Amino acid sequence: MTTKTPLIIDTDPGIDDAVALAIALNHANLDVRLITTVSGNVDVRQTTENTLKLVSFMKKEVPVAKGCDQPLLIKLEDASEIHGETGMAGFEFPKSHAKALPYHAVEAMRKTLESSEEPVVILAIAALTNIALLFSLYPEMKAKVSKIVMMGGTLSRGNTNSSAEFNTYVDPHAAQIVFQSGVPIVMVGLDVTSTAVLASKEVELIKGLGRVGQMFHALFQHYRGGSLKTGLKMHDVCAVAYLVQPELFQTQATHVEVALEGPAAGCSVADLKMKYHTDTNCEVCLAIDVPAFQEWLVENLEMSGDKLHD
């Protein structure tokens, strides 16, 4: 019998976030205990509403907590030009009466960690603002986190300025706090996730997967992270894939820091040759088996759809 991994998901849906959430919520090896939201792809009011809609659509009763509406020190720059104004346009979700918890995401994280008898994994697929605040306000909670698996950073070019990936760019100060926290981190960066695309073949297979497939197929028509012709980039889904099937990835232990200002603000600088550091603080993904990932994603969305009928 496989023991389920206790999990907190910090997110900002967003279309690829939505795919990641659907798979994580239905995966047999994951026990999602809390979902927290933050501004990023769109503002936090909208990311929270999107999360509640998706959790209800998937017929789950996982608590959702609304988090930070701004980065720690800089002005928010969202990604609505990629995900659309609402973040999940293109599908008419059934009306949901679900509500977020009546307290902040950081408090919800603290309560969830304190009540857990075993260390919890944090799946971070958004800006790291909530997690940085958690570690700053309640440093004792670090011992309750077994690791952070994050989609963020890059070892090559960025998708914001020339060198920064969006999640670290949105709140570089939060990212630096998390990288310096001492908590084990796995970084699934943009250079890897940009190769993890759904081609037209996979998109058509997903369309045939019942309500879940139809919902995502409709969202994909409004997603500008790639294209239906060249492939849709499943950035955040890669973090879930690493969590449950790490053999899909090649990794290397190294030390990562984040640039905080200037034209490279948000850039994740990895000391791959360990020339400037004696300690590592991160396991960085270097490559992904794309065909195996595509097969894994379709299979898991199919299982997610099947569970709606259980």
Side-chain angles (χ1 to χ4, degrees):
M1 179 172 137
T2 304
T3 303
K4 288 191 173 187
T5 299
L7 190 63
I8 293 172
I9 303 177
D10 193 58
T11 185
D12 60 343
I15 293 169
D16 57 326
D17 300 71
V19 181
L21 285 171
I23 292 175
L25 285 167
N26 288 286
H27 199 281
N29 296 345
L30 300 178
D31 174 17
V32 181
R33 298 185 179 179
L34 173 69
I35 302 174
T36 55
T37 63
V38 67
S39 286
N41 286 325
V42 286
D43 66 76
V44 74
R45 179 197 62 79
Q46 190 67 61
T47 64
T48 304
E49 184 177 325
N50 291 347
T51 301
L52 290 167
K53 284 180 181 178
L54 190 68
V55 171
S56 294
F57 181 83
M58 301 305 300
K59 298 183 179 180
K60 301 296 179 181
E61 295 185 359
V62 177
V64 174
K66 179 182 174 184
C68 295
D69 63 352
Q70 292 289 326
L72 294 180
L73 295 176
I74 61 176
K75 184 179 178 181
L76 175 68
E77 293 184 39
D78 69 25
S80 54
E81 75 278 4
I82 301 296
H83 295 266
E85 186 177 339
T86 68
M88 290 197 328
F91 181 78
E92 193 66 39
F93 284 89
K95 190 172 274 271
S96 169
H97 299 290
K99 294 186 181 299
L101 294 172
Y103 41 85
H104 195 277
V106 172
E107 288 300 318
M109 286 179 168
R110 179 185 64 82
K111 290 173 183 285
T112 301
L113 290 168
E114 279 187 337
S115 65
S116 179
E117 295 181 0
E118 55 188 323
V120 176
V121 173
I122 296 179
L123 184 74
I125 52 176
L128 295 167
T129 315
N130 290 332
I131 301 167
L133 279 178
L134 173 73
F135 291 166
S136 299
L137 290 169
Y138 305 110
E140 68 277 11
M141 289 298 104
K142 295 177 188 178
K144 301 284 284 184
V145 179
S146 59
K147 65 182 172 185
I148 296 168
V149 178
M150 61 172 283
M151 189 279 128
T154 180
L155 299 181
S156 58
R157 294 190 64 174
N159 58 353
T160 50
N161 57 35
S162 61
S163 54
E165 178 276 330
F166 178 77
N167 287 340
T168 52
Y169 174 81
V170 168
D171 198 340
H173 301 88
Q176 180 74 326
I177 288 170
V178 172
F179 276 111
Q180 293 178 340
S181 68
V183 174
I185 296 172
V186 177
M187 182 182 112
V188 192
L190 180 73
D191 51 313
V192 172
T193 65
S194 290
T195 68
V197 298
L198 288 182
S200 55
K201 173 188 172 185
E202 287 76 41
V203 171
E204 284 306 306
L205 286 172
I206 288 168
K207 184 180 180 180
L209 300 180
R211 288 178 68 231
V212 167
Q214 291 161 16
M215 180 264 289
F216 280 120
H217 191 268
L219 294 182
F220 289 159
Q221 311 309 307
H222 293 257
Y223 181 41
R224 292 183 286 277
S227 72
L228 292 169
K229 183 178 290 187
T230 61
L232 299 174
K233 298 173 183 178
M234 294 289 105
H235 300 294
D236 293 324
V237 189
C238 292
V240 182
Y242 178 88
L243 188 56
V244 297
Q245 204 153 334
E247 62 271 18
L248 291 174
F249 298 82
Q250 297 174 28
T251 67
Q252 178 180 330
T254 188
H255 192 104
V256 175
E257 296 185 19
V258 180
L260 300 180
E261 56 189 19
C267 173
S268 49
V269 183
D271 188 4
L272 292 174
K273 295 185 177 180
M274 293 303 290
K275 185 175 180 179
Y276 302 101
H277 301 85
T278 57
D279 64 315
T280 61
N281 67 350
C282 187
E283 190 80 15
V284 175
C285 291
L286 303 177
I288 182 172
D289 182 337
V290 175
F293 168 79
Q294 293 168 331
E295 184 178 345
W296 172 90
L297 193 158
V298 173
E299 286 177 355
N300 276 270
L301 283 185
E302 182 175 15
M303 285 188 282
S304 298
D306 289 344
K307 289 194 175 182
L308 284 182
H309 306 291
D310 289 349

